[in-house]
Amino acid sequence: MPLSFLTADRPFEAAAESALPYDDRERWRRPYRPGPWRVGVAALVLLLASFVLFAAVAIALTDSVSAAGAVLVGALLVIAVALRLLRMGVWVSGRGVRQVGPLMTRTTPWAQVISVRTVQQPVRWLGLPRTVQGQALMLVRQDRSAGDTAPLLTTHTLDFLGRPAAFDRAADTVEAWAAECGRLAP
């Protein structure tokens, strides 16, 4: 019994005709994987949420239901924070570039983008006030000056800390999206 899915006997034309999942240019996607630091922090926050949920069940069994409800709401807020932490970052589509932060999301259409470039400059370490020397991906918009915009990506965020090659790939991908969708000069 031949197992064609395990061999190279099947024709390549059939596979080339099917649409690939990343062909939809209008779908928002992150041009990089979330870093291990971001995933680890989110996992710890979700672990904390599980303990708070367990406390809500224990309070519901031993004390008042209203106190358990308040603890349950707290646990749901902690879960929402963990999910938002995983969602934070830069997302691109054919419509523009979206920067998702902890409290707000900014979307810039490609028509407003003048340039996207990688620069060497002091960057914030893990979003804290302390700065270190690193690289940043800067997006210059038509309605703002070049020094007025915050960097899209830096080498010292939760996604790229200790992963300079991942930062380079992500910056190149965002620059390619800007060049293709925004029709920027290379």
Side-chain angles (χ1 to χ4, degrees):
M1 178 172 114
L3 299 174
S4 63
F5 62 89
L6 294 178
T7 65
D9 293 340
R10 65 179 176 197
F12 289 106
E13 294 79 37
E17 291 176 9
S18 65
L20 297 173
Y22 53 82
D23 280 343
D24 185 13
R25 306 294 276 172
E26 296 302 313
R27 186 170 163 244
W28 289 101
R29 66 182 50 118
R30 189 189 323 240
Y32 56 91
R33 292 183 179 159
W37 291 99
R38 181 176 305 279
V39 174
V41 168
L44 289 175
V45 171
L46 286 174
L47 182 65
L48 172 70
S50 70
F51 287 123
V52 175
L53 284 172
F54 183 72
V57 170
I59 290 172
L61 293 175
T62 60
D63 200 22
S64 68
V65 177
S66 62
V71 173
L72 178 67
V73 168
L76 293 177
L77 285 174
V78 171
I79 292 171
V81 165
L83 293 177
R84 185 64 178 194
L85 180 66
L86 289 173
R87 182 107 174 113
M88 286 172 42
V90 173
W91 297 74
V92 292
S93 80
R95 291 176 276 182
V97 60
R98 179 174 286 173
Q99 189 171 15
V100 179
L103 298 177
M104 59 185 277
T105 300
R106 287 184 301 228
T107 303
T108 304
W110 291 120
Q112 291 183 357
V113 175
I114 295 174
S115 70
V116 179
R117 58 192 164 83
T118 304
V119 295
Q120 188 84 13
Q121 69 178 26
V123 295
R124 294 172 64 177
W125 184 73
L126 297 177
L128 299 172
R130 177 179 176 221
T131 60
V132 295
Q133 192 65 27
Q135 291 182 343
L137 182 68
M138 300 298 293
L139 177 123
V140 180
R141 297 174 46 167
Q142 289 177 351
D143 57 347
R144 294 191 182 159
S145 66
D148 191 28
T149 59
L152 285 177
L153 303 171
T154 66
T155 53
H156 289 80
T157 60
L158 285 174
D159 290 320
F160 303 113
L161 190 64
R163 298 177 32 194
F167 173 80
D168 292 338
R169 281 192 309 271
D172 290 343
T173 303
V174 174
E175 288 173 357
W177 272 85
E180 182 179 333
C181 298
R183 310 297 184 249
L184 300 175

